[in-house]
Amino acid sequence: MTTHVKTIIFVVGVLLGIVVGEKSVLSTEVGIFAVMLSIVQCGLYIFERKRNAVSEGVDLTHRISFPLIVLLFSLGLFIGIVRVQLVEEKNNFVCESSCIFNAVVSSSPETKNEYQTFSVEPVIIESDVHDVLVRAPLYPRYEIGDMLKLSGKVTVPKIIYPHDTKNNSDGFDYASYLRIKNIGSEMMYPHIEVIDSDAHTVRYELGRLKESFVTRIDRYVSSPASSLASGMLFGASSMQKELVETFRIAGLSHIVILSGFN
């Protein structure tokens, strides 16, 4: 059995373990069973290897070992379940009425045609919460690591229905899409005050270093080539809608998707 086949079996087990850990109420029991099964199959595999070792002239390279398959799969299943259970559950930071809180800019602002968007990490002592997506005017510009004082409403994103339809099958689950990016709520044009502009961690220092590279590209390369280069090299998604649509019509969207935008 080749190394690629072993890797695929293990990865399938991990992915299944993640699904079981997130969806099943019996994930702990399944994880314990996977560990016990791994121990048993490990013993069987060692016994099989010793038995085959005494057989001279037998090529074991491409032989399919059932205990090894079960061992890799069950071990991956256990790791996937543990991976889900070790992740601390976060809450959505929501404020239906206007409120005031401090937050740190956690992502590089993305410039759209008429506004800029960025995520902030609320400074909440009581609990661990998801980031908040902020939509603000184009100016002033903010940087990753800025400590902001925000005032406004914080709401949970809703499902987007095209053409004013209410058919659930046609809706886009915008909240789940943002959750992948660790974003649980959003603010629309809040009042923003910059409290501190110093980056305090390595993460923010690296983010500002990336922003400095993007700024240099914008300074020395004319648009729209600058936005395309920034996206392909550093993932700065600042391309205008017209340019993105042009790439889509020309069938060249994969050039951007497979590069820094991902």
Side-chain angles (χ1 to χ4, degrees):
M1 189 164 52
T2 63
T3 304
H4 295 292
V5 175
K6 297 176 184 177
T7 304
I8 293 174
I9 295 173
F10 178 76
V11 171
V12 170
V14 173
L15 295 178
L16 182 60
I18 293 175
V19 174
V20 172
E22 292 180 346
K23 304 296 183 181
S24 177
V25 295
L26 300 176
S27 58
T28 302
E29 289 77 3
V30 175
I32 295 175
F33 175 76
V35 172
M36 297 176 61
L37 185 62
S38 300
I39 296 175
V40 173
Q41 296 302 318
C42 181
L44 292 176
Y45 178 67
I46 294 175
F47 174 76
E48 182 184 68
R49 295 286 296 182
K50 289 183 178 180
R51 185 183 62 181
N52 293 330
V54 298
S55 301
E56 297 180 358
V58 178
D59 186 12
L60 303 177
T61 305
H62 300 288
R63 174 174 293 183
I64 297 177
S65 174
F66 181 76
L68 179 59
I69 294 176
V70 179
L71 172 62
L72 293 174
F73 180 80
S74 56
L75 186 61
L77 181 66
F78 171 74
I79 292 177
I81 294 176
V82 172
R83 169 66 177 84
V84 174
Q85 293 185 348
L86 289 180
V87 175
E88 184 178 358
E89 185 67 23
K90 293 184 178 181
N91 300 317
N92 291 335
F93 180 73
V94 180
C95 182
E96 296 293 345
S97 58
S98 182
C99 59
I100 301 175
F101 64 96
N102 296 339
V104 182
V105 179
S106 57
S107 68
S108 300
E110 298 180 2
T111 304
K112 308 298 182 179
N113 287 359
E114 300 175 352
Y115 57 88
Q116 60 175 320
T117 60
F118 53 90
S119 60
V120 297
E121 181 181 354
V123 182
I124 305 296
I125 301 177
E126 291 79 7
S127 60
D128 194 10
V129 296
H130 291 286
D131 291 352
V132 179
L133 181 66
V134 177
R135 177 181 294 188
L138 286 175
Y139 300 98
R141 298 292 178 88
Y142 303 98
E143 296 181 347
I144 184 172
D146 287 349
M147 174 69 75
L148 307 179
K149 182 177 181 180
L150 300 100
S151 175
K153 294 182 179 181
V154 184
T155 59
V156 176
K158 299 180 180 179
I159 296 178
I160 300 176
Y161 296 98
H163 308 298
D164 297 329
T165 60
K166 296 300 180 181
N167 187 357
N168 292 334
S169 61
D170 297 331
F172 173 64
D173 194 349
Y174 186 51
S176 298
Y177 168 75
L178 293 179
R179 186 67 59 84
I180 299 176
K181 301 181 179 182
N182 191 36
I183 297 175
S185 52
E186 59 182 356
M187 294 187 75
M188 296 296 178
Y189 300 99
H191 176 73
I192 303 176
E193 178 183 349
V194 180
I195 300 177
D196 189 1
S197 298
D198 294 330
H200 302 287
T201 64
V202 176
R203 171 191 173 189
Y204 297 141
E205 290 287 359
L206 293 176
R208 288 194 167 183
L209 179 62
K210 185 195 74 172
E211 289 182 347
S212 66
F213 289 146
V214 174
T215 301
R216 287 185 174 88
I217 292 177
D218 293 338
R219 182 181 303 169
Y220 297 109
V221 181
S222 60
S223 180
S226 59
S227 59
L228 177 61
S230 299
M232 296 181 67
L233 294 175
F234 304 108
S237 54
S238 58
M239 293 177 60
Q240 297 182 353
K241 293 182 179 180
E242 293 79 5
L243 182 59
V244 175
E245 184 67 15
T246 301
F247 271 92
R248 187 189 67 81
I249 295 175
L252 299 176
S253 300
H254 60 281
I255 295 179
V256 177
I257 295 175
L258 297 177
S259 56
F261 273 4
N262 241 9

